[in-house]
Amino acid sequence: EHSRATRTIFPSIKSEIFKKINITEKDQNMRSLWCLLVALFAGATHAEIASFRLPSPWSFECDKTNSSFRTSGHLIPARCVKVPSSSSEKVQGLQACKMTCGSKGTLWPTPTGKLQLSSDLVHFIPQDFRVVSVSAPSEDVSNMINQFADVFREYLYMMNPDYEGEYKNPFSETPFINGKTVQVSISVESEDLTLDTETDESYSISIQRMSANELSRNSQTDRCEGPKATQRVKSKGKAEEAPGIHITVSAKTYYGARHGLETLSQMI
């Protein structure tokens, strides 16, 4: 009886041991599967960080044929239309097209004086935008102009979705484009800071390409911190045309200069 009972107990003990072994193997398999899933998830996260966008298959062209009149009944001298980039001579986005399409571009309110816009666009990054001179009749006017120049620079920073405030430049120091240096000179004639219905708020903006000598000369008087612009030289020793733009904002009063910088921000 005792041996028969022993033989009956042993199979049950063996079955329990085998069950525990199977459970342990299942746990190990689940842990391996979990590690594999974690590794795959980590790889997917890394791929997301290193992702990039492909160029858009679309481009925009300026249509000056008044074709919109046939569909809308309204006469629009110029408008941007979407076309396949493969059939476009110049691939550009909607905003770039609007800036050069029509006689007034994206300027609003429309300037009342003489206006002439170029069809060329210049690429630059905010660290290449510098106010090189401020001409004002008093220290108070000069300080106000410099303060608004800092606000203008923040306008540029805010164009980057990664901007976190506090005037910290979110743009990369090593961009994918070869930008040009943009130098700005601001001139105000009157020291009067009174703002009423009699205040002259007119202004003028002139944008010109700079030669190599002008670029070097203006860089030496730069009021802002940052890397100085350099000029390229041909192998024969002649100075090559500098990749720079000089902007002159002139106004009777500080308020006119402020409006001029606001207009300039609409051209970027």
Side-chain angles (χ1 to χ4, degrees):
E1 291 294 332
H2 177 72
S3 61
R4 187 180 303 174
T6 303
R7 287 196 299 270
T8 305
I9 293 173
F10 281 164
S12 62
I13 295 176
K14 291 181 179 179
S15 62
E16 290 295 330
I17 294 175
F18 286 138
K19 286 182 180 179
K20 290 183 178 180
I21 292 175
N22 291 335
I23 292 174
T24 304
E25 291 178 351
K26 288 182 179 179
D27 290 341
Q28 291 178 349
N29 292 335
M30 289 298 294
R31 291 194 186 98
S32 300
L33 179 60
W34 172 248
C35 292
L36 177 61
L37 291 176
V38 170
L40 290 176
F41 181 75
T45 305
H46 178 71
E48 179 65 24
I49 294 175
S51 64
F52 62 92
R53 294 187 303 174
L54 294 174
S56 173
W58 301 102
S59 180
F60 291 86
E61 293 182 351
C62 185
D63 180 13
K64 299 181 181 180
T65 61
N66 296 327
S67 58
S68 59
F69 182 78
R70 295 193 295 268
T71 57
S72 64
H74 299 282
L75 184 61
I76 303 177
R79 62 170 186 159
C80 292
V81 295
K82 185 168 68 172
V83 296
S85 59
S86 58
S87 62
S88 178
E89 296 181 359
K90 180 181 180 182
V91 179
Q92 61 182 356
L94 177 60
Q95 185 63 19
C97 179
K98 287 182 176 181
M99 292 174 66
T100 57
C101 187
S103 59
K104 298 177 177 61
T106 56
L107 299 182
W108 184 262
T110 303
T112 57
K114 181 181 179 181
L115 175 64
Q116 183 179 0
L117 294 178
S118 171
S119 59
D120 297 331
L121 296 179
V122 175
H123 298 279
F124 73 97
I125 52 179
Q127 47 263 44
D128 289 337
F129 180 93
R130 295 191 282 272
V131 177
V132 294
S133 66
V134 174
S135 176
S138 70
E139 184 177 356
D140 291 339
V141 175
S142 178
N143 291 337
M144 293 181 68
I145 293 175
N146 288 328
Q147 290 176 3
F148 194 80
D150 293 335
V151 173
F152 185 93
R153 184 179 295 276
E154 189 173 29
Y155 286 170
L156 302 180
Y157 293 165
M158 293 173 65
M159 294 181 181
N160 191 317
D162 297 330
Y163 179 59
E164 299 178 353
E166 299 182 358
Y167 295 95
K168 294 181 180 179
N169 185 6
F171 290 86
S172 172
E173 293 290 342
T174 56
F176 294 101
I177 61 172
N178 293 324
K180 293 190 176 184
T181 299
V182 179
Q183 298 182 353
V184 181
S185 298
I186 305 173
S187 175
V188 174
E189 297 181 10
S190 175
E191 62 179 353
D192 187 7
L193 294 175
T194 304
L195 180 61
D196 53 28
T197 56
E198 301 298 326
T199 302
D200 188 345
E201 301 180 53
S202 62
Y203 62 90
S204 65
I205 300 177
S206 175
I207 303 177
Q208 298 177 337
R209 297 183 182 275
M210 290 189 300
S211 67
N213 293 334
E214 291 171 336
L215 178 64
S216 177
R217 189 184 312 118
N218 290 338
S219 297
Q220 294 174 0
T221 59
D222 191 351
R223 61 170 285 273
C224 301
E225 297 181 357
K228 300 301 181 182
T230 57
Q231 64 186 50
R232 294 177 296 175
V233 180
K234 293 182 179 180
S235 57
K236 294 182 179 180
K238 294 183 179 179
E240 188 176 305
E241 183 179 354
I245 298 295
H246 187 264
I247 302 173
T248 303
V249 180
S250 304
K252 296 289 186 180
T253 64
Y254 158 76
Y255 304 101
R258 185 181 64 180
H259 295 327
L261 290 176
E262 287 284 357
T263 298
L264 180 61
S265 69
Q266 297 178 7
M267 303 170 67
I268 298 176

